[in-house]
Amino acid sequence: MAVFKVFFQEDMDTRIIREDTQIRYVEAETEEEVRNYLKTNQNNIEFIQALSPAHLEYEQNNNEDFKVETIA
């Protein structure tokens, strides 16, 4: 499994504003699984990035709100 960093806006009806971008971390096999998992949320997904082991370690060590959601 890999951990994906998801950049999104909470509201589908507004234009994307970088300052309003939020982040979630999701553990899944593929980006498609992440998109299907998040489809029920009414979020505007900007970008999904698979994290390398080094990048994942950096996020864990430097992000107070770091929490990984696992697709069941």
Side-chain angles (χ1 to χ4, degrees), residues 5 14 19 26 31-32 36 42 44 51 54-55 65 67:
K5 185 175 183 178
T14 59
E19 292 79 15
V26 179
E31 181 179 327
E32 184 178 3
N36 287 334
Q42 293 300 310
N44 187 358
L51 300 181
H55 191 167
D65 300 326
K67 180 182 140 191

Side-chain angles (χ1 to χ4, degrees), residues 19-64:
E19 292 79 15
D20 294 338
T21 298
Q22 297 188 30
I23 297 171
R24 294 170 84 165
Y25 300 92
V26 179
E27 184 177 38
E29 291 288 337
T30 64
E31 181 179 327
E32 184 178 3
E33 280 185 7
V34 174
R35 288 188 181 277
N36 287 334
Y37 171 70
L38 297 175
K39 191 182 289 186
T40 57
N41 301 336
Q42 293 300 310
N43 296 333
N44 187 358
I45 297 173
E46 292 179 41
F47 184 68
I48 298 177
Q49 175 184 22
L51 300 181
S52 68
H55 191 167
L56 177 59
E57 182 179 346
Y58 174 84
E59 293 289 340
Q60 289 170 327
N61 294 332
N62 294 291
N63 186 342
E64 295 175 0

